[in-house]
Amino acid sequence: MIRFDNVSKTYPKQNRPALRDVSLEIEKGEFVFLVGSSGSGKSTFLRLVLREERASHGTVHVLGKDLARLSNWKVPHMRRQLGTVFQDFRLLPNKTVAQNVAFAQEVIGKPRGEIRKAVPQVLDLVGLGGKEDRMPGELSGGEQQRVAIARAFVNRPMLLIADEPTGNLDPQTSVGIMKLLDRINRTGTTVIMATHDQNIVDQMRKRVIELEKGRLVRDQARGVYGYQH
Amino acid sequence: MRAQFVLSEIGVGLRRNLTMTFAVIVSVALSLALFGGALLMREQVSVMKDFWYDKVNVTIYLCNKNDAAAGGTCDKGAVTAQQKKEIEADLKKLDNIVEKVHHETADEAYKHYKEQYGDTAIASIITPDQMQESYRVKLKDPEKYKVVATAFAGRAGVHSVQDQRQTLENLFQMMRGMNVAALCVMALMLVIALMLIVNTVRVSAFSRRRETGIMRLVGASSFYIQMPFIMEAAVAGLLGGAVACVMLLVGRYFMIDAGLNLAQSMPLVNFIGWDAVITVLPLVVVIGLLMPSLAAAIALRKYLKV
């Protein structure tokens, strides 16, 4: 699903690489936590997977494709198989919940009939059935994140990337979001989640990848947030 | 890709930047109107050239009895029959460059003058004996004017030798000058229009970065993300082109048929017809459509990450 081979990334005009010599592999259907302090390279890692950036050295394979060899015009097609969720939700404030979710299908040219069927289905899945016509501003943070997850999942991606999805939410709400991500993972979708939330990582007992100053310092199956040997 | 979704996005974008859109339309319209005007002016010059170069002659004006007072080659008064014979003989000798010679008597000149100026005040006080007798010499090669001029200018009985082409040339020179001026203004307006478009794209790319960011994340193709911006520029450009077309049509109408009414005040000039204007319009519209779209596409490369 994802394979990094000796990947380094140095941003222009910066001496210290954001990621250095990282090699790892993530299999289909896995649930992976990406942990590390701010500036450890988590975001760079996710940006490389999304091919928002290209690796300076080494190769990144996502969904069996070498991203360095993927031509620019094929990138959108690759991203259609990826869902993304962020800390700040990134919803369109002037569209309703249903429109926000439908937007993800409209812009890739899905036929209208299919959209009309898929949107209520996925909103039911995330627990927002009946709130189709609400505006994002009327929803709580947790509900907004559910809309974002619905949007990320409506095209049934192979891989869901979540960048601190619970960063803006209280612990109670966060648990709900994690249950939802776990459910999505059980449908066979690979989930990579970058997080600072120790409780969540410790509770879930999933694979943990820890980065520190751009290096891979830990890759542990069924791990916890802090060091435990 | 669904047309309705795309169209509504374009409408929203155009309305969001209404003042900018308006500025783009006006500047595109002005630059295209000037461009079309310059094309039409060139057409006008070539129409006039075709029309006039056929008809113009080198004219050898002969002395009139009234010219005696003026002195010079005419100090002996009116041209004599002997002098005329000599001139005619010399013109015959130049048959390698002279195609045809027409002798216009004072009476004929009077008649033509009357035809041209009709019943105006000046025409009514002029009498046939005030008109100049002349030889209208048609040259095989209009460039050979100098040969005729040196052969006859300064000869007794010859008042002056005039190349009519020269007078026309001055007029054409002026029109070409106006043409260049119009093209310069056009270039300036075009630069302004392009800068406005680039700026409009920059502003709307910024105000829609949320949408475009999400589009990118869910895998919309770059074409799909960029198209609304390009279509906005194209719609504005198309409107500008349409306005320019109207300006050209109205312009021709008011210059030639009404308003300035050049058709009546300059009856000797052959003006371009509506067909010439109409042939220019498609070009104006196509440029109005393509130029802003291209400018937008280039601006997007810089301001919209895809």
Side-chain angles (χ1 to χ4, degrees), chain A residues 111-130:
Chain A
R112 173 170 284 198
E114 202 172 311
I115 296 175
R116 218 175 269 154
K117 227 166 55 190
V119 170
Q121 225 171 37
V122 76
L123 282 174
D124 271 342
L125 176 85
V126 301
L128 287 177

Side-chain angles (χ1 to χ4, degrees), chain B residues 238-282:
Chain B
L238 197 62
L239 287 174
V243 172
C245 288
V246 172
M247 282 164 88
L248 286 176
L249 289 170
V250 170
R252 189 209 174 270
Y253 180 72
F254 277 103
M255 294 268 282
I256 296 174
D257 295 332
L260 275 181
N261 205 348
L262 293 178
Q264 202 161 58
S265 59
M266 298 173 76
L268 296 180
V269 177
N270 202 11
F271 286 103
I272 48 165
W274 288 108
D275 55 332
V277 182
I278 288 165
T279 13
V280 171
L281 299 188

Side-chain angles (χ1 to χ4, degrees), chain A residues 187-198:
Chain A
T187 66
T189 301
T190 310
V191 177
I192 302 178
M193 172 170 160
T195 187
H196 284 300
D197 196 324
Q198 186 170 351

Side-chain angles (χ1 to χ4, degrees), chain A residues 1 21 47 95 108 122 126 134 160 177-178 181 199:
Chain A
M1 180 108 303
D21 201 24
R47 292 171 70 81
K95 289 189 191 293
I108 64 172
V122 76
V126 301
R134 297 288 201 78
L160 188 75
I177 295 294
M178 290 318 297
L181 289 178
N199 288 337

Side-chain angles (χ1 to χ4, degrees), chain B residues 150-269:
Chain B
T150 46
F152 297 99
R155 185 192 279 240
V158 172
H159 180 265
S160 59
V161 181
Q162 195 188 35
D163 183 9
Q164 292 176 322
R165 215 170 65 97
Q166 201 54 46
T167 20
L168 281 178
E169 206 49 57
N170 288 339
L171 177 69
F172 292 149
Q173 201 62 47
M174 190 188 74
M175 291 175 81
R176 274 195 288 266
M178 284 162 64
N179 217 352
V180 170
L183 284 174
C184 288
V185 179
M186 181 210 84
L188 200 67
M189 289 304 301
L190 202 66
V191 170
I192 293 174
L194 294 183
M195 289 195 309
L196 275 170
I197 289 162
V198 167
N199 199 41
T200 310
V201 165
R202 193 170 65 116
V203 169
S204 60
F206 184 76
S207 67
R208 265 185 279 173
R209 65 195 186 287
R210 200 183 250 282
E211 276 99 329
T212 52
I214 293 167
M215 282 179 169
R216 221 149 40 80
L217 283 177
V218 299
S221 62
S222 52
F223 173 74
Y224 190 90
I225 298 172
Q226 294 182 342
M227 203 184 47
F229 295 91
I230 293 174
M231 291 291 279
E232 272 168 46
V235 168
L238 197 62
L239 287 174
V243 172
C245 288
V246 172
M247 282 164 88
L248 286 176
L249 289 170
V250 170
R252 189 209 174 270
Y253 180 72
F254 277 103
M255 294 268 282
I256 296 174
D257 295 332
L260 275 181
N261 205 348
L262 293 178
Q264 202 161 58
S265 59
M266 298 173 76
L268 296 180
V269 177

Side-chain angles (χ1 to χ4, degrees), chain A residues 75-148:
Chain A
V75 170
H77 268 275
M78 181 211 82
R79 289 199 184 132
R80 284 176 199 187
Q81 291 163 296
L82 270 43
T84 36
V85 178
F86 294 92
Q87 181 174 3
D88 57 356
F89 318 137
R90 301 199 186 174
L91 301 176
L92 297 172
N94 52 352
K95 289 189 191 293
T96 65
V97 166
Q99 282 167 348
N100 262 290
V101 177
F103 190 73
Q105 299 202 292
E106 272 159 357
V107 297
I108 64 172
K110 281 267 166 70
R112 173 170 284 198
E114 202 172 311
I115 296 175
R116 218 175 269 154
K117 227 166 55 190
V119 170
Q121 225 171 37
V122 76
L123 282 174
D124 271 342
L125 176 85
V126 301
L128 287 177
K131 298 200 171 167
E132 288 87 349
D133 296 328
R134 297 288 201 78
M135 302 305 277
E138 303 167 12
L139 303 178
S140 69
E143 286 172 324
Q144 288 189 47
Q145 192 60 294
R146 284 169 192 269
V147 178

